[in-house]
Amino acid sequence: MAKKKGGLISRILIGSEKSEGYARASLPSNRWELFWDIFKSKFWKLVLINLIMLLFFIPLIALFVIKWLAEINMGTYYPFNQVFGIGYQAPYSLVGINESITFNLNSSFFALMPIVLIIAFIGISGGAYIIRNMVWQEGVFISNDFWHGVKVNIKKMIIIALLFSVVFYVTVLFINLANLNIANGVKNKWLYQVSKVMSYMILIFYSFMTLHMITMTTTYELKIKDLIKNSFLFTIGLLPQNIFFVVLGLIPVALTLMGGFFTVLGLPSCVLFGVSLFLLVWTDFCQWSYDKFINDKVSGAKKNRGIYEKVKDSDSKTFKQYKGQVEYSKSTLTSRPIKPITDEELKLEELPQVFNRNDIMKLEQSKQMLKEDNEKYIEEHKKEFNGESTDEKEEIERLKRIEKAKKELSKRQ
């Protein structure tokens, strides 16, 4: 018998959830199983989503590449990169020149951060929306859902991008300024060291808040002030979990930065599914946190979307039918004797086509007689129905009296 197979396009668009033999027992019952189920069954969709989002990341990547090339170029032309002592002489003091160049370049290039971040967040708004649908186990059509996600989320995403670009710009410049002052030998260097540490902490903390705002935007209808408030609370309250899942989602990036053989593994992974994998890990974690802390308080919110209760053997159809029969046998309908329909003397009167008051009274009397006769039958056969026949009970009592009499007789002898 030929085995029926679906087309490649159908499997990519619809996935395996429509295939034969996709039993409920195989569905994910927790968030870890859900992540693995999505990753293995929708892998090529994750790759496609990642490639689409990377198109919107090109200006952001280009900004950092051009800045890096500018730093190399400045290092080539400035005298602190030359060989001193043999034919070369430093024209002026080089103390703090490196930090000064870094400060100037960052202040110039990162002023463009709002523009490139807005473009990147257009891609994130569509990709995060699709990833959310995957985590909710809803049907996904890449092109349609991507642009729908952009349409419904872009306004808030632009605001989130602008807020992050401001925080990023200010904290980076504070760090560069502290490095410049420390290099110039300013007094109370420890204050600038503290300033650097605080700037790094603020940038990392607000990065976590931004990630939460992205996921909340695709999940709930919230105002910007509520997004900021809720993301702050989730960043504070779930800080260890935040760090763990961010590190877990950035594994391809970590492999790329390790160099050597690991870069060979990490770089293609980043290109193929780096961003979509991170969004999948983060969204799956956030949906767990929303089920635990938010969805019970939100009217109409559904909990545990995308995960299912495991089906046990005891929940099979046959066992359910058996339990139903047992419950039925214990009901009042089957726990009382029913009189067989054999009496000829008792019958229900029938009304003629043309009837009067006397005919109605006869019908009521016959109903009452049937009811009384049935109750009498129930009372007479109640013990017998419960397995306690009257004759058997009397026989048992008689045998007990005989045994008692024998014992008394043996004592007297």
Side-chain angles (χ1 to χ4, degrees):
M1 187 175 186
K3 191 175 182 180
K4 186 178 179 181
K5 296 183 179 179
L8 176 62
I9 302 299
S10 177
R11 290 199 298 272
I12 292 176
L13 292 178
I14 301 176
S16 62
E17 59 267 23
K18 298 294 184 181
S19 63
E20 296 178 4
Y22 191 77
R24 182 181 173 88
S26 65
L27 296 175
S29 60
N30 56 60
R31 293 294 171 184
W32 292 103
E33 292 181 4
L34 176 62
F35 164 78
W36 178 243
D37 180 73
I38 294 173
F39 186 76
K40 68 180 181 180
S41 64
K42 297 181 174 64
F43 176 78
W44 293 111
K45 287 187 178 182
L46 292 173
V47 171
L48 183 57
I49 296 167
N50 192 79
L51 295 176
I52 294 174
M53 286 191 290
L54 282 182
L55 295 176
F56 293 88
F57 276 74
I58 290 176
L60 179 62
I61 297 172
L63 178 66
F64 279 92
V65 171
I66 294 173
K67 174 182 171 295
W68 174 67
L69 293 174
E71 290 176 344
I72 295 176
N73 185 61
M74 296 292 288
T76 301
Y77 285 103
Y78 268 72
F80 58 80
N81 201 37
Q82 307 297 330
V83 180
F84 297 117
I86 306 177
Y88 293 94
Q89 185 176 0
Y92 49 83
S93 175
L94 302 179
V95 175
I97 189 68
N98 187 35
E99 290 77 9
S100 177
I101 292 173
T102 302
F103 177 82
N104 292 329
L105 286 176
N106 287 345
S107 62
S108 300
F109 278 93
F110 289 152
L112 300 174
M113 184 65 76
I115 299 174
V116 297
L117 266 185
I118 288 173
I119 298 173
F121 269 63
I122 294 174
I124 291 175
S125 61
Y129 178 79
I130 295 177
I131 297 296
R132 185 214 68 179
N133 288 347
M134 286 184 175
V135 172
W136 284 0
Q137 293 287 48
E138 295 182 356
V140 171
F141 295 92
I142 302 297
S143 59
N144 182 61
D145 288 347
F146 182 86
W147 293 113
H148 180 72
V150 172
K151 180 181 178 181
V152 298
N153 297 318
I154 188 59
K155 293 181 180 179
K156 291 178 182 176
M157 288 291 185
I158 289 176
I159 297 175
I160 295 171
L162 291 175
L163 291 174
F164 181 79
S165 63
V166 171
V167 174
F168 181 85
Y169 187 80
V170 171
T171 53
V172 168
L173 290 189
F174 264 97
I175 293 169
N176 296 151
L177 187 60
N179 288 332
L180 178 59
N181 285 303
I182 292 172
N184 288 330
V186 71
K187 295 181 179 180
N188 298 324
K189 291 184 179 181
W190 65 272
L191 290 175
Y192 293 95
Q193 294 289 357
V194 172
S195 173
K196 283 177 58 178
V197 173
M198 292 296 295
S199 297
Y200 277 118
M201 291 179 62
I202 291 172
L203 180 58
I204 294 172
F205 186 86
Y206 194 78
S207 297
F208 284 125
M209 288 181 58
T210 301
L211 293 173
H212 277 293
M213 282 190 279
I214 291 171
T215 314
M216 288 181 185
T217 299
T218 59
T219 306
Y220 303 104
E221 288 288 339
L222 295 173
K223 298 179 180 179
I224 292 298
K225 64 176 183 179
D226 294 325
L227 280 175
I228 296 174
K229 175 185 175 182
N230 291 340
S231 63
F232 177 83
L233 295 175
F234 273 84
T235 303
I236 287 288
L238 299 174
L239 187 59
Q241 293 92 329
N242 293 331
I243 296 173
F244 174 79
F245 285 104
V246 166
V247 172
L248 187 64
L250 292 177
I251 288 178
V253 178
L255 291 175
T256 304
L257 297 177
M258 290 174 68
F261 173 75
F262 295 102
T263 301
V264 177
L265 295 176
L267 188 58
S269 300
C270 289
V271 174
L272 290 176
F273 53 83
V275 182
S276 59
L277 175 66
F278 180 83
L279 285 177
L280 176 59
V281 171
W282 184 256
T283 303
D284 195 20
F285 156 65
C286 286
Q287 294 300 322
W288 166 82
S289 63
Y290 300 158
D291 286 338
K292 188 172 183 179
F293 299 106
I294 294 182
N295 289 336
D296 286 332
K297 303 175 183 178
V298 177
S299 177
K302 296 180 181 179
K303 291 188 64 176
N304 299 323
R305 297 186 70 168
I307 58 178
Y308 305 86
E309 183 181 357
K310 278 291 185 184
V311 178
K312 303 177 182 178
D313 294 337
S314 60
D315 293 327
S316 64
K317 183 177 180 181
T318 303
F319 190 76
K320 284 184 177 180
Q321 289 178 346
Y322 170 74
K323 290 195 295 184
Q325 292 173 355
V326 171
E327 292 298 325
Y328 175 76
S329 65
K330 295 178 180 179
S331 67
T332 56
L333 295 176
T334 58
S335 61
R336 54 189 300 180
I338 300 176
K339 182 178 181 180
I341 306 175
T342 56
D343 294 332
E344 297 293 338
E345 68 277 6
L346 293 175
K347 63 180 181 178
L348 187 65
E349 294 289 340
E350 296 182 2
L351 290 176
Q353 293 183 353
V354 180
F355 58 88
N356 53 29
R357 184 177 180 83
N358 291 331
D359 295 325
I360 296 176
M361 293 179 63
K362 289 180 180 180
L363 175 61
E364 293 297 327
Q365 288 176 359
S366 63
K367 286 182 179 180
Q368 185 64 27
M369 291 177 63
L370 286 171
K371 181 179 179 181
E372 292 175 355
D373 184 70
N374 184 58
E375 291 177 352
K376 181 179 179 182
Y377 179 88
I378 291 173
E379 188 64 29
E380 290 177 351
H381 296 81
K382 187 174 182 180
K383 294 182 179 179
E384 182 180 347
F385 182 81
N386 292 331
E388 299 178 359
S389 174
T390 305
D391 295 337
E392 291 179 358
K393 190 174 181 181
E394 291 178 353
E395 181 65 19
I396 292 172
E397 292 294 332
R398 188 180 68 83
L399 292 174
K400 286 182 178 180
R401 289 196 298 270
I402 292 174
E403 289 295 327
K404 186 177 181 181
K406 286 182 179 179
K407 289 181 181 180
E408 291 292 333
L409 183 60
S410 62
K411 288 180 181 180
R412 292 177 181 179
Q413 291 177 351

